Amino acid sequence: MSDSENYDPLSPARPKKYDPQEKKMPRGLVIRLFAYLVAGHVIAGFLYLLFAVGMHNQ
């Protein structure tokens, strides 16, 4: 018999090394966050450049 057959999700018992708090962020989330930050700064820089060039053309 495997452990999954005896598993009761409603029981208060926890595994010995159970930690309810994750220690690190998932890798996919870190990559996505980094990509969004880089893309956001690139877009903001491009808009700043457009406004800077537009002000000099007047």
Side-chain angles (χ1 to χ4, degrees), residues 6-20:
N6 297 325
Y7 177 71
D8 181 14
L10 300 178
S11 74
R14 299 280 184 230
K16 292 180 183 177
K17 292 188 175 184
Y18 177 74
D19 187 11

Side-chain angles (χ1 to χ4, degrees), residues 16-44:
K16 292 180 183 177
K17 292 188 175 184
Y18 177 74
D19 187 11
Q21 193 173 25
E22 293 184 17
K23 296 297 181 193
K24 58 183 180 177
M25 293 172 58
R27 184 178 176 100
L29 180 63
V30 172
I31 292 171
R32 208 173 329 142
L33 179 63
F34 180 74
Y36 289 161
L37 284 173
V38 169
H41 281 87
V42 166
I43 291 169

Side-chain angles (χ1 to χ4, degrees), residues 6 26 28 31-32 47 51 57-58:
N6 297 325
I31 292 171
R32 208 173 329 142
L47 289 174
F51 279 97
N57 287 339
Q58 287 183 350

